[in-house]
Amino acid sequence: MTINDIARICGVSKGTVNRALHGKPGINPGTKEKILAAVRENGFRPDYRAKSLATGKSFTIGLLIPNIENQSFAMIGTIIEAEFWKRGYFLNLALSNDDAEKEESYLELFVDRKVDGVIVFPVNRDPTAVERILEKRIPLVLMMNDLPSVETNVVTIDEYGAFLAMTEYLIGLGHRDIAYIDGYKRYTAKYNDHINRERFRGFTDALAKHGLGFDGNHYAEFLPAYYEQKDSSSISGLFSGPNPATAAMCFHDRIAVWLQVRLIRDGFGVPDDVSVTGFDDMAELSDIVPGITTIRNPFAEIAAKTVEMLVGDIENGTMSANKVRLGTELIIRQSAGVPRSNRR
Amino acid sequence: MTINDIARICGVSKGTVNRALHGKPGINPGTKEKILAAVRENGFRPDYRAKSLATGKSFTIGLLIPNIENQSFAMIGTIIEAEFWKRGYFLNLALSNDDAEKEESYLELFVDRKVDGVIVFPVNRDPTAVERILEKRIPLVLMMNDLPSVETNVVTIDEYGAFLAMTEYLIGLGHRDIAYIDGYKRYTAKYNDHINRERFRGFTDALAKHGLGFDGNHYAEFLPAYYEQKDSSSISGLFSGPNPATAAMCFHDRIAVWLQVRLIRDGFGVPDDVSVTGFDDMAELSDIVPGITTIRNPFAEIAAKTVEMLVGDIENGTMSANKVRLGTELIIRQSAGVPRSNRR
DNA sequence: TTGTAGGCGTTATCAC
DNA sequence: GTGATAACGCCTACAA
């Protein structure tokens, strides 16, 4: 069922059908009605591909994120989908799964499919794939993660400031030895660890600001396999021995919960012996006892700002390079407290 | 940059370019090399819309699910994306957000965009939108939720059997008064509550099988607002008073955790005073103490089976109506135990 | 081995 | 008001 079929059925030309379909002026109300009736009866819908080919608009946005299993990405994705739905755009959701090559491929597919705009959380530290999009003058926003060398729109959160503030909060409580449990850094040449670096820099800068050093033995990277493991000694060892840490800043909430549960099981008090902090303020984990002291991200604002910037460029035909950095909020619960050594 | 541009640059016709592009026989190796070089240098990529229009294939699958914030859907979506990526299909992920009208619209958009196949978790109890897809002979699989009147492929899990087994497990432990905390049922004319009904039916059938009745006062529907609420008396009231329930079967894990945390806070022992069970076996919640006794769904199999059925229909040009119902697994942890009245 | 013409289903621009 | 006709960018025949 094409526009030609409708034309034939109604005994008119496809030009006339087109006019009826789009409410264009210069058409007899009678024939218009007849055409619209035929359209309805036959369930005719214009072919998107042909339409897009002829108009040059695709009304499609490419959203490329690492995954949707992480609650943060799920929230962002949900909001972005809703925003574009409201505006009449169709979303192509692509998952890079932290795979730099897959990210490159998807970016090329976006070009093939002539998306009107692209939003990407880059996991690839090599900027060429993103630059190729820009060369084709397709509006783009980097979201949550940065590619510092690329001149384009960027919406990030202040990871540095968030970790700086959290560290100062712990220092203020009296902690002097704070362990740092980093998120998993995929050791591939291409992995973009910008976020890891920003958070860690906030952490160490806060320590330095207060005249504290960082004991490299108090650093650990949380490997995905730890979730499954029964044995947590590789990490809980940080909190005993000759020079134990009294607090642990975790890269995100899931790690914090994992750690907290195991510390308690191993006989540590939380926060009495060890303070634990997270990042993200995951809704699913908000019922945990003791509540995790964490950092809440402005997901709704990130999504809104990202969409606003992208739609602006699309509708104005511009390629701007706005940088937006959004602030976070410290959520104080019970998992962090005054260290035992500081109480009497 | 189109195929014509490449043809002009190389001084050949677009027919020849096409041959080079697709490795077709009957082309001079020299000119082929020259063309491929020009393609590379100019970053030429064929326009998906034109290609699809000409070939009739779109290599696109429409996946329509309620949301991605629910961990179950996120997992399913992730696996399906990976499966189609492997097979060279591009996924169009659409979120109905439990909105029957939005689901209808997306289904129509899938038709417009000429997807090769559709996977849908129907939230709309009205089957007409799905039937329209079928009329156009677009292969389709209903996933996780059913539309009993429609003759098509269906992959579901045995919700009925899962709740029947869990109920029998609780009865076996000695429980006689089991509360049922249902998931939120949107009271719209169109909402498809098939899953709610299947689970509840499994629950009541198990009770009946063991000569037990169900006290309607022990039923509660969990409203989304409860997550935010400080006051949990509306539900924890089920476990006190003249005829208290000794166990609670929850529609899913998040409700179970919510309930468990509040019961403990209100002075109940879990499982000593009240046993609590969930559904889904959410990874994020696996560290909770006491561990939630729950039901694990075969998400990987659901996704694999769904993809397999859809790809089969697409590649054979068939429209089959296979029904697959997958079994679940009871995961016994510590949140459910022998009721106090049964111990000495 | 290569070029040409026609078609895929629209929209847009002319005449009539 | 309406009907041809040429795009859009690709693929497939068929002809040379």
Short mmCIF file of all heavy atoms in Angstrom, two decimals, chain B residues 92-123:
data_model
loop_
_atom_site.label_atom_id
_atom_site.label_comp_id
_atom_site.label_asym_id
_atom_site.label_seq_id
_atom_site.Cartn_x
_atom_site.Cartn_y
_atom_site.Cartn_z
N ASN B 92 15.87 -0.93 17.28
CA ASN B 92 15.14 0.29 17.63
C ASN B 92 14.45 0.06 18.96
O ASN B 92 13.44 -0.64 19.03
CB ASN B 92 14.08 0.62 16.57
CG ASN B 92 14.65 1.44 15.43
OD1 ASN B 92 13.95 1.74 14.47
ND2 ASN B 92 15.91 1.79 15.50
N LEU B 93 15.01 0.64 20.02
CA LEU B 93 14.44 0.41 21.34
C LEU B 93 13.41 1.48 21.66
O LEU B 93 13.71 2.67 21.64
CB LEU B 93 15.55 0.40 22.40
CG LEU B 93 15.22 -0.39 23.65
CD1 LEU B 93 16.49 -0.68 24.43
CD2 LEU B 93 14.24 0.33 24.55
N ALA B 94 12.20 1.05 21.92
CA ALA B 94 11.12 1.98 22.23
C ALA B 94 10.55 1.66 23.61
O ALA B 94 10.43 0.50 23.98
CB ALA B 94 10.02 1.87 21.18
N LEU B 95 10.22 2.69 24.36
CA LEU B 95 9.69 2.49 25.72
C LEU B 95 8.24 2.93 25.79
O LEU B 95 7.91 4.09 25.50
CB LEU B 95 10.52 3.30 26.72
CG LEU B 95 12.03 3.11 26.63
CD1 LEU B 95 12.74 4.00 27.64
CD2 LEU B 95 12.39 1.66 26.85
N SER B 96 7.37 2.00 26.16
CA SER B 96 5.95 2.36 26.24
C SER B 96 5.64 3.05 27.56
O SER B 96 4.64 3.76 27.66
CB SER B 96 5.09 1.11 26.12
OG SER B 96 5.33 0.25 27.24
N ASN B 97 6.50 2.82 28.55
CA ASN B 97 6.26 3.43 29.85
C ASN B 97 4.87 3.10 30.39
O ASN B 97 4.21 3.94 31.00
CB ASN B 97 6.48 4.95 29.77
CG ASN B 97 6.77 5.55 31.12
OD1 ASN B 97 7.27 4.87 32.01
ND2 ASN B 97 6.41 6.80 31.29
N ASP B 98 4.42 1.87 30.13
CA ASP B 98 3.11 1.39 30.58
C ASP B 98 1.95 2.20 30.02
O ASP B 98 0.83 2.16 30.54
CB ASP B 98 3.02 1.40 32.12
CG ASP B 98 3.96 0.38 32.74
OD1 ASP B 98 4.01 -0.74 32.23
OD2 ASP B 98 4.63 0.72 33.72
N ASP B 99 2.21 2.93 28.97
CA ASP B 99 1.18 3.77 28.38
C ASP B 99 0.65 3.08 27.11
O ASP B 99 1.36 2.94 26.12
CB ASP B 99 1.81 5.13 28.04
CG ASP B 99 0.84 6.08 27.36
OD1 ASP B 99 -0.15 5.61 26.77
OD2 ASP B 99 1.08 7.30 27.42
N ALA B 100 -0.60 2.66 27.18
CA ALA B 100 -1.18 1.89 26.07
C ALA B 100 -1.19 2.68 24.77
O ALA B 100 -0.93 2.13 23.70
CB ALA B 100 -2.60 1.45 26.44
N GLU B 101 -1.47 3.97 24.86
CA GLU B 101 -1.50 4.79 23.65
C GLU B 101 -0.11 4.93 23.04
O GLU B 101 0.07 4.91 21.82
CB GLU B 101 -2.05 6.20 23.95
CG GLU B 101 -3.55 6.31 23.76
CD GLU B 101 -4.29 5.70 24.94
OE1 GLU B 101 -3.74 5.71 26.06
OE2 GLU B 101 -5.41 5.19 24.74
N LYS B 102 0.87 5.11 23.92
CA LYS B 102 2.24 5.26 23.42
C LYS B 102 2.67 3.96 22.74
O LYS B 102 3.34 3.99 21.71
CB LYS B 102 3.18 5.60 24.58
CG LYS B 102 4.49 6.22 24.14
CD LYS B 102 5.33 6.66 25.33
CE LYS B 102 6.73 7.05 24.87
NZ LYS B 102 7.68 7.11 26.00
N GLU B 103 2.25 2.85 23.31
CA GLU B 103 2.58 1.57 22.70
C GLU B 103 2.01 1.49 21.29
O GLU B 103 2.69 1.09 20.35
CB GLU B 103 2.03 0.44 23.56
CG GLU B 103 2.29 -0.93 23.00
CD GLU B 103 1.83 -2.04 23.95
OE1 GLU B 103 2.46 -2.21 24.99
OE2 GLU B 103 0.83 -2.72 23.64
N GLU B 104 0.77 1.89 21.16
CA GLU B 104 0.13 1.88 19.83
C GLU B 104 0.91 2.74 18.85
O GLU B 104 1.17 2.35 17.72
CB GLU B 104 -1.31 2.38 19.93
CG GLU B 104 -2.27 1.38 20.54
CD GLU B 104 -3.70 1.91 20.60
OE1 GLU B 104 -3.99 2.91 19.91
OE2 GLU B 104 -4.51 1.31 21.33
N SER B 105 1.27 3.93 19.30
CA SER B 105 2.00 4.84 18.41
C SER B 105 3.33 4.25 17.98
O SER B 105 3.70 4.33 16.80
CB SER B 105 2.25 6.18 19.11
OG SER B 105 1.04 6.76 19.51
N TYR B 106 4.04 3.68 18.93
CA TYR B 106 5.34 3.11 18.58
C TYR B 106 5.18 1.96 17.59
O TYR B 106 5.98 1.80 16.67
CB TYR B 106 6.07 2.62 19.84
CG TYR B 106 7.11 3.60 20.34
CD1 TYR B 106 7.13 4.01 21.66
CD2 TYR B 106 8.09 4.09 19.49
CE1 TYR B 106 8.10 4.90 22.12
CE2 TYR B 106 9.06 4.97 19.94
CZ TYR B 106 9.06 5.38 21.26
OH TYR B 106 10.00 6.25 21.71
N LEU B 107 4.16 1.17 17.79
CA LEU B 107 3.93 0.04 16.88
C LEU B 107 3.70 0.57 15.46
O LEU B 107 4.19 0.01 14.47
CB LEU B 107 2.73 -0.76 17.37
CG LEU B 107 2.94 -2.14 18.00
CD1 LEU B 107 4.37 -2.45 18.39
CD2 LEU B 107 2.00 -2.38 19.14
N GLU B 108 3.00 1.68 15.35
CA GLU B 108 2.78 2.27 14.03
C GLU B 108 4.08 2.83 13.46
O GLU B 108 4.36 2.70 12.27
CB GLU B 108 1.73 3.37 14.12
CG GLU B 108 0.33 2.82 14.40
CD GLU B 108 -0.73 3.90 14.36
OE1 GLU B 108 -0.40 5.07 14.68
OE2 GLU B 108 -1.88 3.59 14.02
N LEU B 109 4.88 3.44 14.32
CA LEU B 109 6.17 3.96 13.85
C LEU B 109 7.06 2.82 13.35
O LEU B 109 7.80 2.99 12.38
CB LEU B 109 6.88 4.71 14.98
CG LEU B 109 6.33 6.10 15.27
CD1 LEU B 109 7.07 6.73 16.44
CD2 LEU B 109 6.47 6.99 14.04
N PHE B 110 6.97 1.68 14.02
CA PHE B 110 7.75 0.52 13.56
C PHE B 110 7.35 0.16 12.14
O PHE B 110 8.19 -0.18 11.31
CB PHE B 110 7.52 -0.67 14.48
CG PHE B 110 8.26 -0.60 15.79
CD1 PHE B 110 7.94 -1.47 16.83
CD2 PHE B 110 9.27 0.33 16.00
CE1 PHE B 110 8.62 -1.43 18.04
CE2 PHE B 110 9.96 0.38 17.20
CZ PHE B 110 9.62 -0.50 18.23
N VAL B 111 6.06 0.22 11.88
CA VAL B 111 5.58 -0.09 10.53
C VAL B 111 6.11 0.95 9.54
O VAL B 111 6.62 0.61 8.48
CB VAL B 111 4.04 -0.12 10.48
CG1 VAL B 111 3.56 -0.30 9.05
CG2 VAL B 111 3.52 -1.24 11.37
N ASP B 112 5.99 2.21 9.89
CA ASP B 112 6.50 3.28 9.02
C ASP B 112 7.95 3.06 8.67
O ASP B 112 8.38 3.28 7.55
CB ASP B 112 6.42 4.64 9.73
CG ASP B 112 5.00 5.03 10.08
OD1 ASP B 112 4.08 4.34 9.61
OD2 ASP B 112 4.83 6.00 10.82
N ARG B 113 8.70 2.65 9.68
CA ARG B 113 10.14 2.51 9.48
C ARG B 113 10.51 1.15 8.92
O ARG B 113 11.67 0.81 8.82
CB ARG B 113 10.87 2.80 10.80
CG ARG B 113 10.77 4.28 11.12
CD ARG B 113 11.39 4.68 12.42
NE ARG B 113 11.18 6.12 12.60
CZ ARG B 113 12.16 7.01 12.67
NH1 ARG B 113 13.40 6.63 12.61
NH2 ARG B 113 11.88 8.29 12.81
N LYS B 114 9.49 0.40 8.59
CA LYS B 114 9.70 -0.87 7.89
C LYS B 114 10.67 -1.80 8.60
O LYS B 114 11.60 -2.35 7.98
CB LYS B 114 10.18 -0.60 6.46
CG LYS B 114 9.19 0.18 5.61
CD LYS B 114 7.98 -0.64 5.29
CE LYS B 114 6.95 0.14 4.47
NZ LYS B 114 6.27 1.19 5.28
N VAL B 115 10.48 -1.94 9.92
CA VAL B 115 11.33 -2.88 10.64
C VAL B 115 11.09 -4.29 10.10
O VAL B 115 10.02 -4.61 9.60
CB VAL B 115 11.03 -2.86 12.16
CG1 VAL B 115 11.37 -1.51 12.76
CG2 VAL B 115 9.60 -3.25 12.44
N ASP B 116 12.13 -5.12 10.19
CA ASP B 116 12.02 -6.49 9.70
C ASP B 116 11.28 -7.38 10.68
O ASP B 116 10.80 -8.45 10.31
CB ASP B 116 13.42 -7.06 9.45
CG ASP B 116 14.11 -6.41 8.26
OD1 ASP B 116 13.39 -5.97 7.35
OD2 ASP B 116 15.34 -6.35 8.24
N GLY B 117 11.24 -6.96 11.93
CA GLY B 117 10.57 -7.77 12.94
C GLY B 117 10.30 -6.96 14.19
O GLY B 117 10.94 -5.92 14.40
N VAL B 118 9.37 -7.45 15.01
CA VAL B 118 8.98 -6.70 16.21
C VAL B 118 8.96 -7.63 17.42
O VAL B 118 8.47 -8.76 17.34
CB VAL B 118 7.58 -6.08 16.02
CG1 VAL B 118 7.08 -5.47 17.33
CG2 VAL B 118 7.59 -5.02 14.93
N ILE B 119 9.51 -7.13 18.52
CA ILE B 119 9.38 -7.81 19.81
C ILE B 119 8.66 -6.86 20.74
O ILE B 119 9.03 -5.69 20.84
CB ILE B 119 10.77 -8.13 20.41
CG1 ILE B 119 11.55 -9.08 19.49
CG2 ILE B 119 10.64 -8.71 21.80
CD1 ILE B 119 13.00 -9.28 19.92
N VAL B 120 7.61 -7.35 21.38
CA VAL B 120 6.87 -6.44 22.24
C VAL B 120 6.39 -7.10 23.53
O VAL B 120 5.95 -8.25 23.53
CB VAL B 120 5.69 -5.78 21.48
CG1 VAL B 120 4.83 -6.82 20.81
CG2 VAL B 120 4.83 -4.92 22.39
N PHE B 121 6.57 -6.36 24.60
CA PHE B 121 5.94 -6.71 25.88
C PHE B 121 4.68 -5.86 25.93
O PHE B 121 4.76 -4.66 26.20
CB PHE B 121 6.88 -6.34 27.03
CG PHE B 121 6.29 -6.56 28.40
CD1 PHE B 121 6.80 -7.56 29.22
CD2 PHE B 121 5.25 -5.78 28.87
CE1 PHE B 121 6.27 -7.76 30.50
CE2 PHE B 121 4.70 -5.99 30.14
CZ PHE B 121 5.21 -6.98 30.95
N PRO B 122 3.53 -6.46 25.63
CA PRO B 122 2.33 -5.63 25.48
C PRO B 122 1.76 -5.15 26.82
O PRO B 122 1.46 -5.95 27.69
CB PRO B 122 1.34 -6.56 24.77
CG PRO B 122 1.79 -7.94 25.15
CD PRO B 122 3.27 -7.88 25.41
N VAL B 123 1.64 -3.85 26.97
CA VAL B 123 0.99 -3.31 28.17
C VAL B 123 -0.45 -2.94 27.85
O VAL B 123 -1.21 -2.57 28.73
CB VAL B 123 1.73 -2.05 28.69
CG1 VAL B 123 3.16 -2.39 29.07
CG2 VAL B 123 1.69 -0.92 27.69
#
